[in-house]
């Protein structure tokens, strides 16, 4: 048996990803944490708000809300969350997991 702490089904674009045998693709550990964070951000609608907002002060507030949302995940090292938001509607999240090292993910809001 494999030594995974976390295991989940891979979800992309709201659908379960299937392999060639039509079985769900499984992800483990760091990928599970990244997927959980991405889904939390998408479900909060903060990514859409951040992309749509033009006021610098309101953008800063939404960015803080996003950072706090990500920081709630107990599998991350507190204080390591960093967000980057280029102008193309993508938000990049960088953090350090407690057990699996660095975590990099992107949330496309569109």
């Amino acid at each position: 048996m494999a030594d995974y702490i976390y295991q989940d089904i891979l979800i992309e674009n709201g659908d379960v990803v299937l392999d060639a045998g039509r079985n769900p693709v499984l992800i483990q550990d760091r990928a599970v944490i990244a997927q959980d964070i991405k889904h939390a951000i998408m479900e909060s609608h903060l990514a859409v708000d951040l992309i749509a907002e033009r006021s610098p002060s309101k953008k800063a507030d939404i960015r803080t809300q996003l950072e706090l949302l990500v920081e709630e995940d107990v599998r991350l090292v507190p204080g390591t969350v960093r967000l980057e938001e280029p102008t193309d509607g993508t938000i990049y999240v960088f953090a350090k997991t407690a057990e699996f090292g660095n975590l990099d993910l992107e949330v496309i809001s569109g």
Side-chain angles (χ1 to χ4, degrees), residues 6-105:
Y6 308 108
Q7 188 165 343
D8 201 355
I9 296 172
L10 178 61
I11 307 290
E12 288 182 356
N13 300 320
D15 291 324
V16 174
V17 177
L18 303 176
D19 65 13
R22 311 257 322 139
N23 298 304
V25 173
L26 299 177
I27 56 175
Q28 294 81 28
D29 298 334
R30 185 185 347 210
V32 172
I33 297 170
Q35 179 170 277
D36 290 348
I37 291 169
K38 183 175 183 176
H39 289 161
I41 290 171
M42 291 169 39
E43 290 168 7
S44 74
H45 299 288
L46 289 171
V48 174
D49 294 344
L50 182 63
I51 301 300
E53 186 57 58
R54 296 294 166 234
S55 166
S57 62
K58 289 182 180 178
K59 282 181 85 75
D61 181 49
I62 295 168
R63 180 183 293 277
T64 300
Q65 290 177 53
L66 270 171
E67 288 177 0
L68 291 172
L69 174 69
V70 175
E71 287 269 353
E72 287 179 4
D73 194 314
V74 297
R75 300 169 291 185
L76 298 179
V77 175
T80 63
V81 174
R82 191 179 88 236
L83 301 176
E84 290 184 13
E85 179 203 355
T87 58
D88 67 352
T90 303
I91 299 169
Y92 296 95
V93 179
F94 304 96
K96 183 174 181 179
T97 66
E99 298 170 293
F100 310 109
N102 292 332
L103 177 80
D104 305 328
L105 67 111

